[in-house]
Amino acid sequence: MKTIKAGAARTDITPSGPVWMDGMIRSHKSTGVRHRLYAKALALANGDKPGDLFVFISVDVCGIKRPVYDEIYARISARSGIAPDHIILAATHTHSGPATAGYMNPREEEYIKDLVKLVGQTVEKAVRAMRPALVGCASGAEKTISHYRRLLAKDGRVIMNWEPYKPEEIIGPLGEIDPEVGVLMAVAADKDKKPIAILFNHAGHPNVMSGDNYLLSAEYPGLAESILEKQLGGTAIFVNGAQGTMDIDGLKDRDWGGMDRVANALAGAVGQTINSIKAEANVPLRSASIHYEIPARKVPPKLLAWAEKILAETKGKIKAVADGVGDDYKAKLIKDLHSAEDVPHQADQVCIAVGDTAWLSFPGELFTEIGMRIKKASPFKRTYIVGLANGGIGYIPTRKAIREGGYESDTRKVVDEAEDIIFDKSLALLKRVRALPAG
């Protein structure tokens, strides 16, 4: 078995001026910078050819649509020769970053052009920095950051955990969190064994700051990275999980002090997990990808009529809100969905296996229950879902959640059967990678 090599790099991608921000409906562009934003990459190789290279990339933005991913892939492939099915490119999902997806505000097209170049340069730097390494993975847990945000009220409504409510009016959450923290540690294969990179995975919504915030920030994952880098050295790289139902506490600590608390909790959990990692020189690397289609959601006539009524009243204008969305946004979304309901959504997933640990990408916001279902069925010892990666098709609710209703179900773009389609395709990909010969 070949000795593994690893290299890591970071590039500052903070906008030079005011930009529209993603994640919340805001009334104007950013007014400053609270925390610098970065693109980070970890390159792993078990040989000297481009086909032996595997790359994890994390970008401090809310999301990146598929055409932009395609541009980035094309640049990386042309300059480094790395195959697309050897790359996982993920957005951290910060809700205080520039509008690269245009979820709720206008996309920053000029910034995106620069971002494509900067991400490509980050990968090139990581590849040039590769050296003999020891690599290992382990799982831990962090149970205080993420909360199950879908709550059942006594009147039968499904409300989100950021909506003001009296505790006595709530029956409780409609599901459970996934507290797992996944960590990949790469250290130099010499006597000092200095850290090269710490890749860590946890499911959550980086929106401690609400839509009232107009300062750019990498949010709590970015701060956790900074803490780990100061404590341990190397490059710390966060990738999100199946976080469709995970959120911070929506009604307290929605300030910079709260962000510091959450960041320290996550960094602490990663640090504890690192203690159980046994890094080795001979770790097999394998990967494969899968492409498939998910049918678009069909809009029933009654819902379309409601949307048209709202649009007639609002004239298509959408008001800024601190959290969530109003009927004005939902109506426009429903109208857009109706116009594209015959166009299926393209899903690409990549699985990179590092020894007996699988890192499985998904291009959207999987409900946590679906992610845990995939993990449980996986043939690998450890499986981590890397959400918001290699594309963006929005929320993927469970059938149960669609019946219950609520924010994510109301704003989904896919059919009810999406849960089962994704589970079957994910499991097939995991099994295929597991069966590959160790490289």
Side-chain angles (χ1 to χ4, degrees):
M1 192 178 294
K2 301 173 183 177
T3 301
I4 201 167
K5 293 187 291 184
R10 69 168 65 82
T11 302
D12 193 320
I13 60 168
T14 311
S16 58
V19 290
W20 284 105
M21 300 164 71
D22 255 340
M24 311 287 195
I25 304 174
R26 291 178 166 92
S27 60
H28 58 79
K29 293 187 175 186
S30 62
T31 58
V33 178
R34 178 75 182 198
H35 305 117
R36 307 300 292 181
L37 310 178
Y38 293 92
K40 298 185 177 184
L42 166 62
L44 300 173
N46 55 1
D48 298 320
K49 300 176 182 177
D52 300 323
L53 275 166
F54 302 81
V55 181
F56 295 91
I57 310 163
S58 176
V59 186
D60 285 332
V61 295
C62 193
I64 305 175
K65 293 293 182 69
R66 181 181 168 121
V68 179
Y69 278 103
D70 290 341
E71 288 184 48
I72 294 172
Y73 286 151
R75 183 182 178 90
I76 293 173
S77 179
R79 292 172 176 264
S80 303
I82 306 172
D85 62 356
H86 285 210
I87 301 170
I88 291 179
L89 170 57
T92 63
H93 203 47
T94 173
H95 283 46
S96 293
T100 50
Y103 289 135
M104 298 177 176
N105 297 296
R107 289 196 345 156
E108 288 287 350
E109 300 296 346
E110 290 303 313
Y111 174 80
I112 291 172
K113 292 178 183 178
D114 292 335
L115 183 67
V116 170
K117 298 176 185 177
L118 293 172
V119 173
Q121 291 170 7
T122 306
V123 173
E124 292 167 31
K125 289 190 291 184
V127 171
R128 288 197 300 268
M130 285 194 304
R131 56 194 187 276
L134 307 176
V135 173
C137 299
S139 288
E142 206 305 310
K143 301 180 180 179
T144 68
I145 296 172
S146 291
H147 299 249
Y148 198 91
R149 67 185 192 174
R150 292 169 52 80
L151 308 175
L152 179 62
K154 288 184 177 179
D155 62 6
R157 293 185 304 123
V158 174
I159 67 172
M160 309 308 290
N161 74 336
W162 61 72
E163 297 182 51
Y165 60 86
K166 295 179 181 179
E168 59 270 19
E169 296 175 351
I170 302 300
I171 295 174
L174 285 161
E176 298 180 356
I177 68 167
D178 180 0
E180 186 172 27
V181 173
V183 181
L184 184 159
M185 183 77 167
V187 300
D190 54 28
K191 63 178 182 179
D192 294 328
K193 293 183 173 58
K194 290 184 177 180
I196 295 171
I198 304 163
L199 177 70
F200 62 103
N201 171 257
H202 185 253
H205 254 83
N207 62 343
V208 171
M209 301 305 290
S210 70
D212 293 333
N213 168 54
Y214 286 89
L215 298 179
L216 293 166
S217 168
E219 265 278 347
Y220 72 83
L223 293 190
E225 290 173 336
S226 296
I227 293 167
L228 289 165
E229 290 172 351
K230 289 176 183 176
Q231 292 178 345
L232 303 173
T235 302
I237 305 171
F238 169 80
V239 287
N240 219 319
Q243 43 59 269
T245 49
M246 300 294 92
D247 217 324
I248 46 85
D249 189 327
L251 297 177
K252 72 175 185 179
D253 291 346
R254 303 292 300 275
D255 53 30
W256 301 114
M259 189 181 295
D260 289 341
R261 177 189 63 76
V262 172
N264 276 282
L266 182 55
V270 173
Q272 289 180 353
T273 305
I274 287 172
N275 294 330
S276 63
I277 291 178
K278 295 180 181 179
E280 300 174 336
N282 304 118
V283 179
L285 301 175
R286 294 165 285 177
S287 77
S289 64
I290 192 169
H291 171 82
Y292 56 97
E293 295 182 342
I294 304 174
R297 172 185 175 188
K298 306 297 183 185
V299 177
K302 185 176 180 180
L303 183 58
L304 180 61
W306 171 85
E308 290 174 338
K309 177 177 179 294
I310 297 297
L311 289 171
E313 295 171 354
T314 63
K315 295 180 173 57
K317 294 182 179 180
I318 300 174
K319 293 181 179 179
V321 293
D323 288 294
V325 297
D327 285 349
D328 48 7
Y329 176 88
K330 290 180 184 178
K332 185 178 184 306
L333 175 64
I334 292 300
K335 187 72 173 178
D336 292 343
L337 290 175
H338 174 67
S339 65
E341 62 182 13
D342 293 325
V343 181
H345 296 282
Q346 306 299 314
D348 288 279
Q349 289 182 265
V350 171
C351 176
I352 298 178
V354 182
D356 56 7
T357 300
W359 298 78
L360 177 68
S361 75
F362 183 75
E365 301 186 60
L366 270 182
F367 264 39
T368 309
E369 295 92 330
I370 303 173
M372 290 193 290
R373 182 183 170 197
I374 293 169
K375 288 183 180 184
K376 185 177 180 180
S378 172
F380 285 87
K381 182 178 180 180
R382 290 174 292 265
T383 298
Y384 306 127
I385 308 297
V386 183
L388 299 130
N390 301 11
I393 56 176
Y395 286 112
I396 310 294
T398 60
R399 288 174 178 270
K400 173 178 175 289
I402 292 171
R403 291 194 301 269
E404 293 166 343
Y407 168 67
E408 309 95 345
S409 299
D410 291 347
T411 58
R412 78 187 191 282
K413 301 176 183 178
V414 295
V415 292
D416 299 13
E417 298 81 9
E419 172 185 7
D420 295 325
I421 296 171
I422 292 162
F423 173 80
D424 290 343
K425 297 294 185 180
S426 297
L427 190 58
L429 178 58
L430 287 163
K431 289 179 177 178
R432 178 148 56 94
V433 175
R434 185 64 180 173
L436 292 172

